[in-house]
Amino acid sequence: MQNKSQSLKKGGFTFKRFFVAHDKSPMKITTDSCLLGAWVPILSSTHKVLDIGCGCGVIALMLAQRLEHQACQIDAIDIDVQAVNQCQQNSQQAGFTSISTIQGDVNYFNRDDANSYDLIVTNPPYFESAVDCRTNQRQLARYTESLNYTQLIDSVKRLLKPDGLFCLVLPYHLADQFRQLCESNHLFLQQLLQVKYMADKEFSLSLMAFAPKPNAHVIEQQLCMRCDDGQYSPAFRALLADFYLFQK
């Protein structure tokens, strides 16, 4: 993934343009978040962005890089104070002044005007709390008890512009259930990327983009992360080309 010949820092992940520390955040950087940050559709009208459950800020930072040539404001919110502090530090060190951090619960988060965001993104918690995590911080980050899907959708409907876009990544086996819940709340699928680790594996992730208005044609794509020899596939490399330090 990263060029081993380059000196890499510990306690985080080194991208081409910036380093993202995650040693103080309850959730570490995952391929899920990196895929979402690179895949999210960016429109010329995208100027105000909300990252729900920002963690260490990897998605916000990736979007800041992608949006750096158009005026934008990215609000990164998380319930965990250490995650918010780390996101703020990462943003400052990367030099992205477009990112503002907010510590709080998105269920109670309001801007001056409702329906104010062109784009809302999240890599949401998705594990039910059957097994306790080692820390309360990690439990909040991992489990739906801190932000269940109904609450998430309610927050999106309250904060998203009528012509805005809501994007997230979920495990593949939860995607249909979430899509049905969205559509029953008048959020309609626009784009879908199904991801599998290798060609002979089942799909593992679904990246989805929803909007308040129905779309007669849903753009559906598939991505295989690795080739049969274990190397990253050309499609994966192309998607992450602006971010990952791939080995030559």
Side-chain angles (χ1 to χ4, degrees):
M1 187 182 298
Q2 299 181 359
N3 191 336
K4 293 181 181 179
S5 65
Q6 183 170 343
S7 178
L8 301 179
K9 298 179 182 179
K10 295 181 179 180
F13 194 92
T14 302
F15 291 85
K16 281 186 176 180
R17 293 269 305 273
F18 48 81
F19 174 75
V20 183
H22 62 196
D23 56 309
K24 296 184 176 70
S25 177
M27 287 304 296
K28 309 308 178 188
I29 295 172
T30 63
T31 304
D32 306 26
S33 292
C34 295
L35 283 169
L36 183 64
W39 174 82
V40 166
I42 296 294
L43 307 176
S44 59
S45 58
T46 303
H47 298 294
K48 290 188 67 179
V49 180
L50 178 65
D51 179 6
I52 297 176
C54 64
C56 60
V58 58
I59 296 174
L61 285 160
M62 293 176 74
L63 292 177
Q65 177 178 320
R66 294 179 61 194
L67 286 161
E68 63 184 339
H69 297 303
Q70 61 191 72
C72 75
Q73 171 192 333
I74 300 174
D75 290 336
I77 185 170
D78 202 292
I79 200 169
D80 184 82
V81 65
Q82 290 190 346
V84 169
N85 289 340
Q86 187 141 65
C87 177
Q88 183 177 37
Q89 292 167 4
N90 286 331
S91 302
Q92 291 173 345
Q93 291 178 3
F96 290 129
T97 58
S98 58
I99 299 175
S100 298
T101 53
I102 303 159
Q103 194 274 316
D105 186 338
V106 73
N107 291 304
Y108 307 103
F109 173 64
N110 284 290
R111 274 307 186 210
D112 294 336
D113 55 325
N115 309 116
S116 58
Y117 289 100
D118 304 300
L119 173 65
I120 297 178
V121 297
T122 185
N123 181 2
Y126 53 81
F127 291 110
E128 298 293 344
S129 54
V131 179
D132 286 343
C133 288
R134 290 187 300 274
T135 67
N136 288 335
Q137 287 178 307
R138 187 168 177 81
Q139 182 137 340
L140 281 173
R142 295 286 279 188
Y143 289 145
T144 56
E145 64 187 21
S146 62
L147 181 66
N148 65 46
Y149 293 151
T150 299
Q151 292 172 322
L152 174 60
I153 291 170
D154 286 345
S155 296
V156 169
K157 289 183 65 179
R158 174 168 46 87
L159 297 166
L160 187 67
K161 288 184 178 179
D163 58 351
L165 207 59
F166 164 49
C167 301
L168 81 165
V169 56
L170 282 176
Y172 175 78
H173 71 279
L174 298 177
D176 283 343
Q177 176 187 352
F178 189 83
R179 177 180 179 175
Q180 292 172 18
L181 188 59
C182 278
E183 291 184 350
S184 68
N185 283 274
H186 306 289
L187 288 171
F188 302 96
L189 188 66
Q190 310 291 306
Q191 296 190 38
L192 172 67
L193 178 66
Q194 308 280 38
V195 180
K196 60 173 61 179
Y197 187 72
M198 295 186 73
D200 61 347
K201 302 294 185 182
E202 300 292 331
F203 287 111
S204 58
L205 296 173
S206 294
L207 282 69
M208 297 177 285
F210 295 90
K213 297 179 181 178
N215 190 345
H217 175 66
V218 177
I219 300 173
E220 298 190 27
Q221 297 175 302
Q222 297 180 0
L223 174 69
C224 182
M225 290 176 53
R226 292 184 183 270
C227 301
D228 292 340
D229 60 3
Q231 298 297 312
Y232 284 118
S233 69
F236 182 85
R237 287 174 175 268
L239 182 59
L240 275 300
D242 291 337
F243 299 100
Y244 271 20
L245 292 166
F246 289 109
Q247 293 180 354
K248 300 298 184 181

